[in-house]
């Protein structure tokens, strides 16, 4: 069957606007379109394909499990789920794991748990504190907790009992947390909100205030987790432990899986029958997730993340200085943001498109920030080539602007 980009407009719900090309193959940090053209992948499927496309270890894990067992539902458990959960517990603060299929589902589980936790103490203890520019998923509950009005407009009425505060504002957080608060929810690095790392003081204050007011501290590490920060999870960079942590995206390296990691005290709130997921803990997904974790949770690989991040940031900063389009980069590990200069505000998407025209795929984090989230094992030669292509795209865009 012949399909092209125009097929999308004929058969798909119009909630996406994909690029003009259709990708058909990937290997490592390259992808190829229908015309056979290659692109250096600095996007990583939005921080998902963290070991590259068609990684042999992940292909082998999926292929082996596909010949054994695909699905049971949670009426029964399975070996891949138990192995992956056991390894996640051994590698993190967590004592219990809940599996699902996406970051939104992991956050939905965490927010439901928090409400149930608060309700058991006092029915009035139901407030969830989140932060402006946060992003926690696309379900009605998770977009409501996320602090971006554009995702809730037209879907009102939204769930109540959610308070949004400025990110990294310790004084505002201290003023807001009270006996009504059941949870403080934050991303250690705001992703969609512009690649904004939390300050150590802010993270520490969130932990202190949660303890003082008997609230849960929830870290959304859907984007920052699984090695992307240079640590297995970014909370380890800050030295502050949450009660709940949500993980997805890179956890499956491209295969759909999500997880909520929890202390035993928090996990016990979700007693039998209080929550569930038909596909959560699917043997295929967990077999791939186990291969990802085994590969990523390695000191040499994590050190390589820091090295690769420096190469990319140095390259972006050099392009920014040369052409006046980027301010100094920010982020943590291989979650990198290049803010637009004042003269280029609102034009991050133009940079992405110019890069694509020259064979490099990147992302935006809002209209004013270019985002890079490549494979954790992208080669130095591909980093150099991708930066070369990105610079060519920027140069062409700047030349057009000068000629206009």
């Amino acid at each position: 069957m012949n399909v092209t980009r125009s097929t999308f407009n004929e058969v798909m719900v119009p909630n996406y606007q994909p690029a003009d090309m259709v990708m058909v193959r990937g290997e490592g940090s390259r992808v190829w379109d229908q015309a056979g053209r290659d692109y250096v992948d600095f996007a990583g499927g939005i921080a998902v394909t963290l070991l590259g496309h068609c990684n042999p270890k992940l292909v082998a894990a999926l292929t082996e499990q596909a010949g054994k067992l695909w699905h049971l539902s949670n009426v029964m458990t399975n070996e891949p789920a138990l192995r992956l959960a056991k390894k996640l517990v051994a590698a993190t603060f967590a004592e219990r794991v809940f599996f699902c299929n996406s970051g939104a589902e992991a956050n939905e589980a965490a927010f439901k748990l928090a409400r149930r936790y608060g309700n058991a103490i006092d029915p009035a203890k139901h407030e969830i504190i989140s932060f402006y520019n946060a992003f926690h998923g696309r379900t009605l509950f998770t977009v409501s907790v996320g602090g971006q009005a554009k995702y809730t407009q037209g879907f009102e009425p939204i769930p109540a009992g959610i308070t949004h505060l400025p990110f990294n504002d310790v004084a505002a957080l201290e003023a807001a947390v009270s006996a009504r608060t059941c949870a403080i929810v934050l991303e250690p690095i705001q992703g969609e909100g512009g690649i904004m790392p939390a300050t150590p003081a802010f993270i520490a204050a969130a932990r202190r205030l949660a303890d003082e007011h008997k609230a849960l501290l929830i870290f959304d590490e859907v984007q920052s987790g699984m090695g992307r920060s240079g640590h297995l999870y970014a909370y380890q960079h800050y030295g502050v432990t949450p009660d709940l942590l949500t993980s997805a995206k890179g956890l499956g390296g491209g295969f759909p899986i999500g997880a909520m990691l929890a202390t035993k005290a928090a996990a016990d709130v979700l007693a039998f029958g209080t929550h569930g997921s038909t596909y959560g803990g699917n043997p295929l997904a967990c077999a791939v997730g186990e291969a990802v974790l085994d590969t990523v949770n390695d000191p040499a690989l994590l050190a390589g993340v820091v090295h690769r991040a420096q190469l990319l940031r140095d390259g972006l900063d050099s392009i920014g200085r040369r052409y006046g389009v980027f301010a100094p980069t920010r982020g943590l590990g291989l979650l990198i943001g290049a803010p637009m200069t004042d003269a280029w505000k609102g034009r991050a998407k133009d940079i992405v498109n110019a890069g694509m025209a020259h064979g490099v795929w990147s992302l935006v984090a809002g209209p004013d920030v270019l985002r890079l989230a490549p494979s954790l094992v992208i080669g130095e030669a591909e980093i150099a080539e991708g930066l070369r292509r990105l610079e060519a795209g920027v140069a062409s865009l700047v030349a057009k602007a000068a000629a206009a």
Side-chain angles (χ1 to χ4, degrees), residues 136-203:
H136 299 298
R138 294 282 197 153
T139 68
L140 188 57
F141 197 179
T142 57
V143 294
S144 301
V145 175
Q148 301 189 58
K150 65 183 180 181
Y151 292 122
T152 57
Q153 289 170 352
F155 297 102
E156 298 87 353
I158 63 175
I162 301 164
T163 297
H164 294 103
L165 303 174
F167 190 62
N168 277 333
D169 189 330
V170 173
L173 185 58
E174 289 175 335
V177 183
S178 71
R180 300 189 312 274
T181 306
C182 67
I184 301 169
V185 181
L186 62 90
E187 299 162 272
I189 311 164
Q190 284 195 333
E192 302 295 324
I195 317 300
M196 292 292 296
T199 64
F202 181 67
I203 291 272

Side-chain angles (χ1 to χ4, degrees), residues 16-17 21 50 58 82 84 103 122-123 137 156 161 178 181 183 197-198 201 212 216 264 270 296 301 311 335 357 387:
Y16 300 118
Q17 290 183 334
M21 64 288 294
L50 83 176
L58 307 194
L82 296 174
L84 178 55
D122 181 344
E156 298 87 353
S178 71
T181 306
E212 288 176 5
L216 298 177
K264 181 180 183 302
L270 285 187
V296 170
L301 185 144
L311 293 176
L335 186 55
L387 288 169

Side-chain angles (χ1 to χ4, degrees), residues 258-269:
M260 177 185 69
L261 312 186
T263 63
K264 181 180 183 302
D268 285 347
V269 172

Side-chain angles (χ1 to χ4, degrees), residues 362-381:
S362 56
L363 301 164
V364 299
D368 299 327
V369 180
L370 184 77
R371 172 173 35 165
L372 271 61
S375 161
L376 307 188
V377 294
I378 183 172
E380 290 190 18

